[in-house]
Amino acid sequence: MVLNLKISSYIRFAVLLCLFFFHYCRPAALSNPCDPNSSSLTNTLLLKATLGDRNLSCDFSNRNSPTYFISGTINGLLATGLVLQNNGGDDLRINYGANSFLFPTRTSLYNVTVKTQAKDFSCTVANGSGRALSDITNVTVSCQPKQAGYVIVSNVTSTNISVYSVNPNTGSLTEISGSPFTNALCAARGLAISPDSSYVYAACQGEDKIRVYSITKSSGMLVEIAGSPFNVPSGIPTRLSVDPTGKWLVLGTNNPSALIHMYAISANTGALTFLGSYATSAAQPYAVTFDATGKFVYAGIGLNGNVDGWTLNTTTGALSSVGSPAPGGSNAIDITTDPAGRYLFAANYSGPGRIFVYTINPTTGVLAQISGLGPGFSTINDSPDSIFVDPKSRFVYSGNQTPANLAGFTLDISTGTLTTMAGSTFSGYSGALAMDPSGTYLYSGTGGFVRAFTVNPTTGVPSLVGTFAAGTDQTSIVIASY
């Protein structure tokens, strides 16, 4: 009883001191900084105890625990954009094709999760959490390509968009109910799709706007979002591209414009906010693309076949020129990069048809035509107007207009060299091109039809699955994958 009275007296005395020196009792003084070596923590704990507050937010059970590196293996990653996270804050960006990872920050407790999925891939973590008693090496990240859900095709002359569901076992197409989706004002020259397949963006000639549609995952229905269409400040809109994070959109233009336009994308609604325009080295910056890493923007110039480049400020969306344009052929009508962002490929709409290949400097974004190629690689026939690299960086395809056929190449990923496939060209189809994330099925739109092919995984040679009716004049294809 005497002891309790003494303790009570000490508490009352401490409270009186706290009240006397009232500034020590302010909320800031009672915050818990969780630094076990700080005098502020000691004072905080004493004051909390004096005031009867036992709600301490710090866990000091591991204050003297040793720390270790957290690492593991990665399986099946053939895309960029994957970001891993440890303990909710230590972000680690993973490169295309990586088969291992290591967090640079040592820790005693670990919880590895996927913060951002790679484009068109779904990755999961096993053995991802626990208490480290030594360096952890058995965390496993397994990645699988998403499954193609819908093929979406622009029919520029008939001013509509066709949508087809995909049979995952055969690659064949079935046009969904309600397709084609028509807006008489919108002749969609180009389409782009958000990385999560939530929105599709249409570059509408005729009205010089960008229309944005949400994609209904369960049915494939396209529903125009609030605020659409969005203004294009100048030029005729042609091709467009969305960066791997889904934050930015770049738009190319046709005569008489020598400008590309940048937009920010709302993460919540898909709506566009115009950011600014950038002058190109010559007129007709018809084709545009982000590189696969999302660090650079490129524009294929129609007037002279050159390719302009910019670095992207990933915080503001602003562009800065990488320097002089890379020389090309006569009309860089379509451009793309390989899935790792090592090379840029440009289809030159010319006779004879040519594909130019450039290395991408990973630091500066500067392009350099790979050595010894001179006029580029021959597409055998004339007027190639599309270019596509398969998701595994094995094969490159180009659609020729004269005559209508498909040129196929195998890609040496170490050098960028293209070798014509046995049997190329493949007759009867050209135009817009797309592949499912696994690289199993190839789709081509031309002449009022969409054609589906299976791709031989060894040779890359396409075999026709079927031909499916579309509108008139197919100019772009995107695939919604889940």
Side-chain angles (χ1 to χ4, degrees):
M1 183 68 175
V2 174
L3 180 61
N4 288 338
L5 288 173
K6 287 183 178 180
I7 292 174
S8 298
S9 297
Y10 285 131
I11 292 175
R12 284 196 297 272
F13 179 69
V15 171
L16 288 174
L17 283 177
C18 179
L19 293 174
F20 183 77
F21 300 101
F22 66 91
H23 58 284
Y24 288 111
C25 297
R26 292 177 298 178
L30 298 180
S31 65
N32 190 346
C34 297
D35 180 357
N37 299 314
S38 71
S39 60
S40 62
L41 175 65
T42 303
N43 294 335
T44 298
L45 295 178
L46 287 173
L47 287 170
K48 282 178 174 286
T50 299
L51 298 174
D53 180 4
R54 292 179 173 80
N55 184 26
L56 304 181
S57 59
C58 291
D59 176 10
F60 298 110
S61 59
N62 295 308
R63 59 184 290 182
N64 296 316
S65 298
T67 57
Y68 302 96
F69 287 113
I70 310 302
S71 65
T73 57
I74 301 174
N75 300 316
L77 180 61
L78 294 175
T80 58
L82 177 64
V83 179
L84 299 179
Q85 192 174 73
N86 189 26
N87 292 329
D90 191 7
D91 292 358
L92 183 64
R93 185 171 293 277
I94 307 299
N95 293 328
Y96 172 97
N99 54 26
S100 64
F101 69 92
L102 169 67
F103 282 97
T105 304
R106 298 163 64 104
T107 185
S108 56
L109 295 175
Y110 63 98
N111 182 26
V112 179
T113 57
V114 174
K115 178 182 179 181
T116 306
Q117 292 285 2
K119 184 179 185 297
D120 289 332
F121 272 69
S122 178
C123 301
T124 58
V125 178
N127 305 319
S129 61
R131 183 187 298 276
L133 301 178
S134 61
D135 285 344
I136 299 299
T137 61
N138 69 333
V139 181
T140 301
V141 179
S142 299
C143 300
Q144 296 289 335
K146 294 179 180 178
Q147 183 173 290
Y150 304 100
V151 169
I152 303 171
V153 182
S154 65
N155 307 303
V156 66
T157 302
S158 54
T159 64
N160 55 26
I161 298 174
S162 298
V163 180
Y164 308 83
S165 62
V166 180
N167 183 317
N169 298 315
T170 66
S172 64
L173 304 179
T174 301
E175 192 165 11
I176 70 167
S177 176
S179 175
F181 299 90
T182 301
N183 186 309
L185 298 176
C186 178
R189 173 61 61 179
L191 298 176
I193 194 166
S194 62
D196 62 359
S197 295
S198 293
Y199 303 101
V200 63
Y201 300 84
C204 299
Q205 296 183 0
E207 61 176 345
D208 295 340
K209 303 284 187 181
I210 300 175
R211 291 189 179 267
V212 183
Y213 303 88
S214 64
I215 306 169
T216 305
K217 181 178 179 180
S218 60
S219 65
M221 289 286 293
L222 302 184
V223 179
E224 194 163 4
I225 69 168
S228 179
F230 298 92
N231 186 52
V232 174
S234 63
I236 300 171
T238 52
R239 304 287 175 88
L240 29 62
S241 179
V242 174
D243 83 302
T245 69
K247 293 175 60 177
W248 317 109
L249 180 145
V250 61
L251 174 70
T253 60
N254 203 351
N255 279 335
S257 177
L259 294 172
I260 62 170
H261 307 301
M262 282 292 297
Y263 297 81
I265 300 174
S266 168
N268 296 322
T269 66
L272 300 179
T273 299
F274 174 69
L275 298 177
S277 302
Y278 296 86
T280 53
S281 58
Q284 304 172 29
Y286 186 90
V288 290
T289 190
F290 290 90
D291 81 307
T293 68
K295 294 164 57 177
F296 309 114
V297 171
Y298 297 99
I301 307 302
L303 185 64
N304 56 22
N306 292 346
V307 181
D308 291 0
W310 297 263
T311 57
L312 170 68
N313 184 316
T314 56
T315 301
T316 66
L319 301 183
S320 302
S321 174
V322 303
S324 300
S330 60
N331 184 342
I333 197 169
D334 196 18
I335 60 175
T336 191
T337 68
D338 71 286
R342 291 162 290 200
Y343 303 102
L344 182 140
F345 304 83
N348 272 257
Y349 190 80
S350 59
R354 298 288 178 181
I355 295 174
F356 286 77
V357 184
Y358 308 86
T359 59
I360 301 175
N361 184 301
T363 303
T364 66
V366 171
L367 300 178
Q369 189 182 5
I370 62 175
S371 60
L373 292 183
F377 293 97
S378 172
T379 59
I380 300 177
N381 294 119
D382 294 343
S383 306
D385 66 349
S386 58
I387 188 80
F388 193 87
V389 184
D390 88 304
K392 297 180 180 179
S393 297
R394 306 163 300 175
F395 313 119
V396 175
Y397 301 93
S398 177
N400 301 317
Q401 280 201 1
T402 310
N405 56 34
L406 185 73
F409 305 87
T410 57
L411 169 64
D412 184 334
I413 199 60
S414 63
T415 65
T417 301
L418 301 181
T419 301
T420 302
M421 289 178 187
S424 181
T425 57
F426 306 102
S427 62
Y429 39 90
S430 65
L433 298 170
M435 293 187 83
D436 76 302
S438 72
T440 303
Y441 304 117
L442 172 68
Y443 297 94
S444 171
T446 188
F449 297 95
V450 178
R451 292 176 173 84
F453 308 88
T454 57
V455 173
N456 184 300
T458 302
T459 65
V461 171
S463 298
L464 185 65
V465 170
T467 300
F468 308 91
T472 307
D473 193 10
Q474 291 67 51
T475 53
S476 187
I477 299 177
V478 294
I479 297 178
S481 302
Y482 306 99

